[in-house]
Amino acid sequence: MAKQKKQPRPKAEAPKGFRDYFGTEVTERADMLAKIAEVYRTHGFEALETSAIETVEALGKYLPDVDRPNAGVFAWQEEDDGKWLALRYDMTAPLARVAAQYRNDLPTPYRRFTMGPVWRNEKPGPGRFRQFYQCDADTVGAPSVAADAEICGMLSDALEAVGIPRGDYVVRVNNRKVLNGVMEVAGVLDPADPTKFEEERGIVLRAIDKFDKFGEEGVRLLMGEGRLDDSGDFTKGAGLSEAQADTVMGFVNANEAVQRKLSASVGSEPQEADFLRRGAAAQGATPDTSQEQVRESFGSVWNKSVLEHLRELVQGCEAGLEGVDELEQIASLLDAQGYGPDRIVIDPSVVRGLGYYTGPVFEAELTFEITDEKGRPRQFGSVAGGGRYDDLVKRFTGQVVPATGVSIGVDRLLAALRAKGRIGGSAQGPVVVTVMDRDRMAEYMALASTLRGAGLRAEVYLGNPKNFGNQLKYADKRESPVAIIQGSDEAERGVVQIKDLILGAKIAQDATVEEWKSQPAQFEVPTGEMVAKVQEILARYEAE
Amino acid sequence: MAKQKKQPRPKAEAPKGFRDYFGTEVTERADMLAKIAEVYRTHGFEALETSAIETVEALGKYLPDVDRPNAGVFAWQEEDDGKWLALRYDMTAPLARVAAQYRNDLPTPYRRFTMGPVWRNEKPGPGRFRQFYQCDADTVGAPSVAADAEICGMLSDALEAVGIPRGDYVVRVNNRKVLNGVMEVAGVLDPADPTKFEEERGIVLRAIDKFDKFGEEGVRLLMGEGRLDDSGDFTKGAGLSEAQADTVMGFVNANEAVQRKLSASVGSEPQEADFLRRGAAAQGATPDTSQEQVRESFGSVWNKSVLEHLRELVQGCEAGLEGVDELEQIASLLDAQGYGPDRIVIDPSVVRGLGYYTGPVFEAELTFEITDEKGRPRQFGSVAGGGRYDDLVKRFTGQVVPATGVSIGVDRLLAALRAKGRIGGSAQGPVVVTVMDRDRMAEYMALASTLRGAGLRAEVYLGNPKNFGNQLKYADKRESPVAIIQGSDEAERGVVQIKDLILGAKIAQDATVEEWKSQPAQFEVPTGEMVAKVQEILARYEAE
């Protein structure tokens, strides 16, 4: 018989740009999502889970990120009716579809939260994946800035709920209307014809959003003739005159201007970019009183000064002044609930790159430093952002439906908490019941069952039990704190051996003989005392 | 200027076969998944989350369900390298890929659980969706039936953890090797050439799996010439002779045979298909003693009798006898941990339709009746299933890696709990703080914030506040138990009005004047007492 041609074996690989998550990576994210969901629910937001797949028609054929118009979605054509389907690229487009589809059944306003993966058909890069989690909360159908203020306060609560202490984050709020006002004053926005200079404004917007990266010089180049980057790539500029750029930069630098003004009045130097937060630290008081003091001495003064400064910048422009008024309302609504500027602050430097925002925009930033992979300290940066967008539902119904919302970058937030050592590291593996005697498997399983009955994680070794060393290597790989050993001799005497694997590893490394004698890593107890003894050991390591 | 041609509006619709999940549908599922995850984790299983997308090469080009070879996946081609990607159709294929890809890093055996949506590119039907949840636990690399026994015990624990009481479910265990033995005895399996009669065996397997649906007559037709269904469609039969079919039916009817045998010895009539469970109920004792009694009087007797009967059926066939031995081991391993036949029972009628099982197979069934949409009582049926499959990883590495696992049908399980009224129904909406005076929004938000501070769900009405009736309609749609009302008059006096909306609705329907007087649905309290008063009302309804 002719030998059949051998089929090549398939490659065991996740597709490019996708990754697998193991153990605590999964459970820690689930814990975080549950905590955020609880905050959202407490604020009256209801869960929504749409399917991963939408019609391309409903999604819209473009990503919201105008920087990369070629960035795409994963899409395919249905066989029966030829319709194009695609994986969602964010949570906002499906919300717009739902708000339109169920408009007669949903309450108005409709507050909803949603969490899950989204997919981007983009070139993968280091640390850039084509599937990642988003965790959004939005209010649809509420025109008032009270809805924006609520989202900001809730974002602050969510960050604290997942373990970012007050002082380690700040929610910054700005208003697109103010920026539009400045554009109007600079002559790159004509209220009579909003489509005029649209391209220029887009360039300016994205330039400002990259202030942190390029600095004032780079932003000015982008607003003017354009910018040549280190790699030789040229980015086209907006072509603004120097006077026009000055006006816009007056807005971008509003923080510094206000700080200069204020530092005289409070008798301190504006050395730090983050005036208020550093101010609080400088007070050196306990967290509570310090916040009070900040709010008293800087907080309302700061917000008042910023608003004053912004009013000057948009003088004579109606929309711009309306924007400043809205910011004032937001600050006062938040203040009434105790969200002082130590948590949420008016900050003209926030613009958010996306084109679709129409009013207040906000961004949550972690203010602590972490050490990057090269050992250099750096600020962690933004972990959440959002704002008001009033046109998304209109695509479906023709009606303008006001909406505002926030998206938390769950994976970044997890990375931040891990970098700070606030999660991870302490997770223990299960207790491993080793197998000395293949015929007594039922007894070993019963021992594991007894341990589980006391709420402990426990498992029986299910590999080939012949080599006991392999069993201990397995326990090591499982990060087990304790192994249970019971040969037929021990079984007859009604005892088990408990092996403290953490202590064992420590002793193997560096214990003195005295330590070894005073606290042996393996000892015998009556089977009835096994649970209590194991709990005692685990409690010891948990306390450490 | 020529008017631009109007673009047609996109349809606001989820794609065919997909649906949206709202509010408690989402949170109840999340709660259930968290409870199952906890059981899995306690058994030493580690979480795994693979991406939704795999290469078609890694997935394999076929669904495991050979009944519908045309049933497909959602797939598309990558633009840059022409590779085909697809959405996962189950959780087992990605596990096989992971087990192969990380074989040097993962512990052996590797216990993992995973939960999330899977996608099937099938024709949608009523109640049949193209995206649904799976919640799987598998052990890879453990050849011993102790691994199968562990999965069965864990499945039983998981069902009880999500709220299915003992007695309302049963895990049935069988072994493919026994069925293969019967096939060998019947002459449709030649141990010297396992590929012979493969098609016939497939037909027999699927016929037996549909015993509940078609009855003995239908199954016999499928094993013989074939079966014509009511719609006129003809399903090809396996072409077995009557004698061959008799041998197979002896296996299918093994339960009844054992019951007949046993009923004489225990002095009871085998009227019910589910002998053991009904037996327990018939004892009429308290749940605990009844289980004990069942186990004592029927349990081990039952298992022993079934095993005896099966041994007779596969007489002289080595593989079949090995299968019976394995079942005996599983029963004894489970018994040692207290999983008696009231929870997990040996049951020859379970075969599982999938072709890839190679050893023990199991299925969890809910044994209570529910009322279907036409008001007829019916058994709820299967909610989970699994078994041993030893060939999946081999595709990638050439090595046979033994594996066993279970998949819980989360959405079916949720439907069962809802049908029994064990979840849902009691969920209350948030407290709604109404807006009497637009200018006092800050105070209303502070009131909601105070309620949240006490752990209550609370929100401010964010729609147009002009029409107060709309606000109450909104509260009604939100299923709010309580509304807070504070006009400027109340604010001045430092009080709020609390409106008990549940009582209000009740009074509006059927209260007497006396009831109305003794417990008014709306009353005034000092603002400082608002939280306590609201808690009192909520506690009253929660207790109901």
Side-chain angles (χ1 to χ4, degrees), chain A residues 9-16 18-24 26-27 29 39-55 57-58 74-76 78-81 83 85 87 97-98 100-111 113 117 119 121 130-131 133 139 141-144 146-147 149-150 157 332-333 336-337 339 394-399 428-430 441-443 445-446 449 452 455-464 474 477-478, chain B residues 9-16 18-24 26-27 29 39-55 57-58 74-76 78-81 83 85 87 97-98 100-111 113 117 119 121 130-131 133 139 141-144 146-147 149-150 157 332-333 336-337 339 394-398 428-430 441-443 445-446 449 452 455-464 474 477-478:
Chain A
R9 283 186 195 138
K11 262 204 181 141
E13 263 178 18
K16 262 188 314 174
F18 295 92
R19 57 160 292 196
D20 303 301
Y21 295 84
F22 291 91
T24 49
V26 179
T27 49
R29 179 163 57 201
V39 171
Y40 287 172
R41 264 182 51 77
T42 307
H43 280 77
F45 285 66
E46 293 293 341
L48 169 68
E49 186 171 330
T50 59
S51 63
I53 298 173
E54 296 277 343
T55 63
E57 178 190 356
F74 291 104
W76 61 90
E78 287 264 80
E79 266 170 37
D80 57 344
D81 59 7
K83 269 204 181 160
L85 302 183
L87 290 173
R97 194 262 302 157
V98 165
Q101 182 173 350
Y102 304 93
R103 63 188 174 282
N104 297 325
D105 307 313
L106 292 172
T108 304
Y110 174 48
R111 288 176 176 96
F113 71 89
W119 293 266
N121 193 356
R130 304 206 284 173
Q131 170 176 332
Y133 268 74
T139 303
S144 125
E150 177 176 75
D157 286 359
S332 106
L333 289 170
Q337 296 171 78
Y339 298 101
K394 194 180 158 196
R395 288 183 56 231
F396 296 102
T397 63
Q399 271 182 303
Q428 277 175 349
M441 199 48 130
E443 282 91 330
M445 290 183 86
S449 185
R452 282 196 292 269
L456 302 171
R457 291 188 77 192
E459 55 168 65
V460 175
Y461 178 71
L462 286 182
N464 187 337
Y474 171 83
K477 213 160 199 177
R478 298 288 290 116
Chain B
R9 282 183 197 142
K11 260 203 183 144
E13 262 178 20
K16 262 188 313 173
F18 295 93
R19 56 159 294 197
D20 303 301
Y21 295 83
F22 292 91
T24 50
V26 179
T27 49
R29 179 163 57 201
V39 172
Y40 288 171
R41 262 182 52 76
T42 307
H43 280 77
F45 285 66
E46 293 294 338
L48 169 68
E49 187 170 331
T50 59
S51 63
I53 298 173
E54 298 275 345
T55 63
E57 178 189 357
F74 291 104
W76 61 90
E78 287 263 81
E79 266 171 38
D80 56 347
D81 60 6
K83 271 206 178 156
L85 302 183
L87 291 174
R97 194 261 303 156
V98 165
Q101 182 173 351
Y102 305 92
R103 61 188 174 283
N104 298 324
D105 307 314
L106 292 173
T108 304
Y110 174 48
R111 289 176 174 96
F113 71 90
W119 294 266
N121 193 356
R130 305 207 284 173
Q131 171 176 329
Y133 268 75
T139 303
S144 127
E150 176 176 75
D157 287 358
S332 106
L333 289 170
Q337 296 170 76
Y339 297 101
K394 194 178 157 199
R395 289 183 56 230
F396 295 103
T397 63
Q428 276 176 349
M441 199 48 126
E443 281 90 333
M445 290 183 87
S449 185
R452 283 196 291 269
L456 302 172
R457 291 188 78 192
E459 54 168 67
V460 174
Y461 179 72
L462 286 181
N464 187 337
Y474 171 83
K477 213 161 199 175
R478 298 288 290 114

Side-chain angles (χ1 to χ4, degrees), chain A residues 278-404:
Chain A
R278 307 286 173 177
Q283 302 280 323
T286 68
D288 274 356
T289 47
S290 136
Q291 284 151 28
E292 285 300 312
Q293 287 173 335
V294 174
R295 222 176 290 152
E296 289 275 290
S297 61
F298 299 128
S300 48
V301 179
W302 167 265
N303 277 344
K304 228 176 115 184
S305 308
V306 170
L307 294 167
E308 213 168 79
H309 187 80
L310 291 178
R311 272 205 186 87
E312 281 167 30
L313 287 176
V314 297
Q315 198 96 51
C317 159
E318 209 177 311
L321 288 169
E322 188 185 304
V324 180
D325 286 347
E326 286 181 3
L327 283 177
E328 189 165 22
Q329 280 176 58
I330 290 174
S332 106
L333 289 170
L334 287 169
D335 210 45
Q337 296 171 78
Y339 298 101
D342 55 322
R343 295 156 79 184
I344 308 177
V345 68
I346 307 257
D347 187 332
S349 73
V350 173
V351 298
R352 310 283 304 151
L354 299 191
Y356 64 53
Y357 291 121
T358 55
V361 286
F362 24 87
E363 200 164 88
E365 194 185 302
L366 301 189
T367 50
F368 53 73
E369 279 182 349
I370 55 153
T371 311
D372 70 9
E373 53 289 359
K374 290 185 181 153
R376 293 168 305 201
R378 65 172 183 86
Q379 291 278 305
F380 196 88
S382 171
V383 290
R388 177 165 287 275
Y389 52 98
D390 287 346
D391 290 341
L392 278 189
V393 182
K394 194 180 158 196
R395 288 183 56 231
F396 296 102
T397 63
Q399 271 182 303
V400 172
V401 177
T404 181

Side-chain angles (χ1 to χ4, degrees), chain B residues 419-431:
Chain B
K420 286 290 273 186
R422 292 230 176 83
I423 50 170
S426 70
Q428 276 176 349
V431 175

Side-chain angles (χ1 to χ4, degrees), chain A residues 35 140 263:
Chain A
K35 281 176 192 158
V140 179
S263 58

